[in-house]
């Protein structure tokens, strides 16, 4: 296929329209919907891996769209009523199939590349941490679109009906939905008895990925390899269906897809912790004395170092030898529903934590003290409000000598609620002898760090509130 043939194919086929639909719908979805891909450290324009993962997640609906548009392209010869004429020409069938398949592949890959490029320009302006670990995620995403379109073209030619494109698009959408709702999920129970689900090996045959919860999480190399095998099988089946002229040949054309699925399932990992893994290079600590962040967020170390050191000084003054000796960004990635794990010697924090994210300067010192005293025991992926937040406010007030709402407590009603719940406990605590105060504070920290018991009840001497 030379350039002239390709240029003609681009002019007379639906390939350019397919690329335009994919690019514009994806960008419209990202920019018009205010969702989690705009928030926190995992925003799609914040880091390279987040960019790749969020754009891959759009394949949940882009891939069915590509399959349907490919099927529409595959009906072209049937609509023009010239299949018999084409079969009498001396030109090999695979030559005729290569032109539309190549044009469609180029436009869809270019559309996905444009989507990634729009995000990449913004990522360049926001981070100094650059790497190429995100590139396989995006390349496999583009390959999903190409393979889906070629498969749709082959199916459209093998089943020449006006119902074929919408039926294939809906079938592909149902497939992706099932992979993320039932067939691709395994029910689990955490050590704390919290029920949940985890992705299984079959779910990796889907083009979409899990929602991005942590900036340090990426896909493993075995996932890339297994998905590439699966996609090459799909593309080979689609191309074979474009070339096949008899029912027997069409049945044989299904072999690459079946073989690709079997081989892919042998390569793809079965353990969810080997599917979505921590990027060790991104998680590497960068430190200023006792204050450390991950390499991903090294640009934020300068703003964190001063408040972090001040928080450690104040904690040592209040707690003595029991005080933590370092501040470190938490790089542990736990599954949904798992209970967090804390250390009494290290203040572990997350930039996406509501208290930390809302704080700057002196307020950041208060936020870090809160994380040190009552780090929180809400299961991963859950959210809550209650006694732990009250305990944080009282504990920070005890360390600093004044009771104020923590950063992130913005609404007047919430501030009033915190004041009403914490002021009596704080006054009672401050009225006790120093030794009794320390006893209650230590009991509170023990409950908070072990995630056993109620930290706020410990501050009030164990009385139920």
């Amino acid at each position: 296929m030379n350039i002239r043939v390709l240029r003609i194919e681009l002019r007379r086929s639906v390939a350019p329209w397919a690329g335009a639909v994919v690019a514009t719908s994806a960008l419209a979805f990202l920019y018009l919907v205010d969702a989690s891909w705009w928030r926190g450290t995992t925003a799609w324009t914040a880091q390279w891996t987040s960019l790749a993962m969020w754009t891959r997640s759009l394949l949940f609906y882009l891939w069915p769209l590509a399959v349907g548009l490919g099927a529409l392209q595959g009906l072209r010869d049937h609509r023009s009523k010239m299949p018999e004429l084409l079969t009498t020409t001396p030109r090999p069938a695979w030559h005729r199939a290569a032109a539309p398949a190549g044009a469609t592949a180029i436009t869809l890959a270019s559309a996905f590349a444009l989507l990634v490029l729009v995000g990449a320009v913004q990522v360049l302006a926001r981070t100094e941490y650059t790497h190429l670990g995100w590139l396989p995620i995006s390349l496999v995403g583009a390959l999903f679109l190409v393979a889906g379109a070629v498969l749709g073209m082959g199916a459209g030619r093998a089943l020449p009906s006006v119902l074929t494109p919408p039926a294939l698009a809906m079938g592909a959408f149902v497939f992706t939905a099932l992979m993320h709702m039932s067939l691709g999920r395994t029910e689990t129970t955490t050590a704390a008895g919290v029920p949940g689900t985890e992705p299984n090996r079959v779910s990796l045959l889907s083009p979409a990925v899990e929602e991005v919860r942590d900036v340090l999480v990426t896909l493993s190399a075995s996932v890339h390899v297994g998905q590439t095998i699966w996609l090459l099988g799909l593309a080979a089946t689609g191309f074979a269906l474009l070339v096949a002229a008899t029912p027997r040949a069409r049945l044989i054309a299904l072999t690459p897809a079946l073989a690709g699925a079997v081989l892919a399932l042998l390569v793809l990992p079965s353990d969810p912790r080997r599917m979505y893994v921590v990027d060790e290079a991104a998680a590497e600590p960068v430190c200023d004395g006792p204050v450390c962040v991950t390499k991903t967020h090294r640009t934020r170390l300068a703003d964190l170092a001063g408040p972090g050191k001040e928080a450690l000084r104040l904690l040592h003054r209040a707690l003595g030898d029991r005080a933590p000796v370092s501040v470190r960004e938490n790089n542990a990635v736990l599954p949904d529903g798992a209970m967090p794990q804390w250390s009494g010697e290290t203040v572990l924090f997350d930039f996406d934590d509501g208290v930390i994210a809302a704080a700057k300067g002196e307020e950041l010192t208060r936020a870090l003290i809160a994380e040190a005293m009552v780090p929180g025991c809400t299961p991963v992926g859950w959210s809550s409000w209650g006694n732990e937040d009250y305990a944080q406010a009282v504990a920070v007030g005890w360390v600093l000598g004044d009771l104020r709402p923590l950063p992130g407590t913005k609404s007047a009603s919430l501030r009033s609620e915190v004041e009403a719940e914490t002021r009596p406990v704080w006054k009672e605590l401050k009225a006790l002898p120093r030794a009794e105060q320390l006893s209650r504070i230590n009991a509170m920290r023990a409950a908070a760090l072990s995630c056993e018991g109620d930290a706020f009840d410990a501050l009030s001497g164990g009385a139920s509130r």
Side-chain angles (χ1 to χ4, degrees):
M1 182 176 62
N2 57 39
I3 300 300
R4 184 178 64 85
V5 174
L6 179 61
R7 194 182 303 122
I8 294 173
E9 189 64 39
L10 287 171
R11 284 203 304 266
R12 70 190 186 107
S13 71
V14 300
W17 293 103
V21 168
V22 167
T24 55
S25 63
L27 290 172
F29 193 79
L30 285 171
Y31 279 95
L32 297 180
V33 179
D34 183 18
S36 52
W37 51 77
W38 284 111
R39 302 191 183 103
T41 60
T42 58
W44 80 289
T45 57
Q47 297 288 344
W48 292 104
T49 301
S50 299
L51 165 67
M53 296 289 278
W54 277 122
T55 49
R56 271 289 296 274
S57 69
L58 294 180
L59 295 184
F60 187 88
Y61 79 92
L62 289 180
W63 187 68
L65 190 61
V67 173
L69 290 170
L72 184 63
Q73 171 77 347
L75 291 178
R76 185 179 63 182
D77 291 347
H78 177 74
R79 291 197 307 268
S80 60
K81 299 180 180 180
M82 46 187 304
E84 293 82 2
L85 176 63
L86 292 175
T87 56
T88 62
T89 62
R91 188 182 180 193
W94 70 270
H95 277 194
R96 295 194 305 271
T104 303
I106 290 173
T107 54
L108 287 177
S110 299
F112 194 74
L114 176 63
L115 175 64
V116 174
L117 181 61
V118 170
V121 172
Q122 299 173 76
V123 172
L124 278 173
R126 297 188 181 190
T127 183
E128 293 181 0
Y129 177 60
T130 58
H131 62 101
L132 295 178
W134 63 275
L135 196 55
I137 303 173
S138 294
L139 290 176
V140 173
L143 185 57
F144 258 110
L145 288 177
V146 171
V150 174
L151 180 66
M153 291 173 65
R157 191 177 189 282
L159 302 170
S161 167
V162 293
L163 298 178
T164 299
L168 282 177
M170 183 56 66
F173 182 77
V174 169
F175 171 77
T176 58
L178 289 177
M179 288 299 100
H180 288 266
M181 292 171 55
S182 56
L183 294 181
R185 310 291 298 184
T186 301
E187 294 185 0
T188 60
T189 303
T190 67
V194 179
T197 62
E198 291 182 339
N200 58 34
R201 180 184 297 164
V202 178
S203 70
L204 297 176
L205 299 180
S206 167
V209 296
E210 297 286 294
E211 182 176 342
V212 184
R213 287 194 303 103
D214 197 297
V215 71
L216 301 177
V217 172
T218 187
L219 291 171
S220 65
S222 56
V223 171
H224 301 320
V225 174
Q227 289 182 335
T228 300
I229 294 172
W230 160 237
L231 294 175
L232 291 177
L234 284 184
T237 287
F239 194 78
L241 287 173
L242 274 175
V243 175
T246 65
R248 183 169 180 268
R250 293 185 183 114
L251 284 175
I252 295 175
L254 301 178
T255 304
L258 296 175
V262 172
L263 290 175
L265 291 174
L266 292 175
V267 173
L268 293 170
S270 58
D271 185 351
R273 280 156 289 281
R274 291 177 53 228
M275 300 174 190
Y276 296 88
V277 298
V278 176
D279 185 339
E280 298 294 342
E284 185 178 331
V286 178
C287 301
D288 181 347
V291 181
C292 300
V293 298
T294 61
K295 187 182 288 187
T296 301
H297 296 133
R298 61 188 177 191
T299 56
R300 306 180 72 166
L301 180 59
D303 294 332
L304 183 74
K309 294 173 183 177
E310 178 65 8
L312 291 176
R313 185 187 70 80
L314 293 171
L315 286 167
H316 185 268
R317 186 184 69 181
L319 299 174
D321 293 339
R322 290 178 175 266
V325 295
S326 63
V327 175
R328 180 167 60 84
E329 181 183 357
N330 193 358
N331 61 5
V333 178
L334 301 176
D336 272 350
M339 294 300 293
Q341 300 173 359
W342 306 115
S343 167
E345 297 182 355
T346 303
V347 181
L348 295 174
F349 71 94
D350 191 323
F351 282 114
D352 283 330
D353 181 273
V355 176
I356 298 293
K360 292 182 180 179
E362 293 183 3
E363 289 293 287
L364 185 53
T365 299
R366 293 178 63 88
L368 290 172
I369 292 174
E371 294 296 319
M373 300 295 282
V374 186
C377 293
T378 303
V380 175
W382 294 29
S383 61
S384 66
W385 175 265
N387 281 6
E388 287 183 350
D389 304 277
Y390 304 147
Q392 278 190 335
V394 173
V396 174
W398 179 80
V399 172
L400 299 179
D402 65 327
L403 183 65
R404 287 189 289 159
L406 292 173
T409 313
K410 296 181 179 180
S411 69
S413 61
L414 199 56
R415 295 170 76 93
S416 298
E417 178 185 334
V418 172
E419 175 72 13
E421 292 288 340
T422 59
R423 181 67 62 177
V425 175
W426 185 72
K427 287 182 176 180
E428 178 187 341
L429 182 66
K430 295 295 287 184
L432 295 173
R434 178 67 179 176
E436 180 63 21
Q437 290 182 33
L438 275 174
S439 176
R440 292 196 181 187
I441 289 293
N442 289 333
M444 176 206 69
R445 290 194 73 217
L449 292 172
S450 65
C451 291
E452 297 178 359
D454 191 302
F456 194 49
D457 280 351
L459 283 176
S460 57
S464 176
R465 298 187 62 82

